Amino acid sequence: SQGLSQGLSQGLSQGLSQGLSQGVLETTLLAIRSMMKNLGLSMEKAMDVLQIPPAERAKYAALVKGC
């Protein structure tokens, strides 16, 4: 019973963490797209404004171009 409880707790924690990460990703993509459309910024400039680290920019660039 204790093992099951611990397993459920770890699963819930991991699920919440993944959900938050996905939410941050989607919100950041929305912000990039909005800045490009409404402010006429390039994708690079939008990422500069949002202070997206260089290591993550390729991931966001691919996602922005994918939609």
Side-chain angles (χ1 to χ4, degrees), residues 6-18:
Q6 186 176 1
L8 286 172
S9 178
Q10 286 176 341
L12 180 60
S13 179
Q14 188 174 17
L16 285 171
S17 178
Q18 288 175 351

Side-chain angles (χ1 to χ4, degrees), residues 17-64:
S17 178
Q18 288 175 351
L20 285 172
S21 293
Q22 184 66 29
V24 168
L25 179 87
E26 290 174 7
T27 301
T28 302
L29 282 173
L30 182 62
I32 292 169
R33 289 187 183 120
S34 293
M35 294 171 94
M36 290 170 66
K37 179 182 176 188
N38 299 324
L39 301 176
L41 295 180
S42 68
M43 186 180 355
E44 283 298 317
K45 278 287 181 199
M47 287 195 261
D48 287 344
V49 171
L50 295 170
Q51 299 180 339
I52 295 174
E56 294 183 21
R57 289 185 180 217
K59 170 180 70 176
Y60 284 105
L63 291 168
V64 168

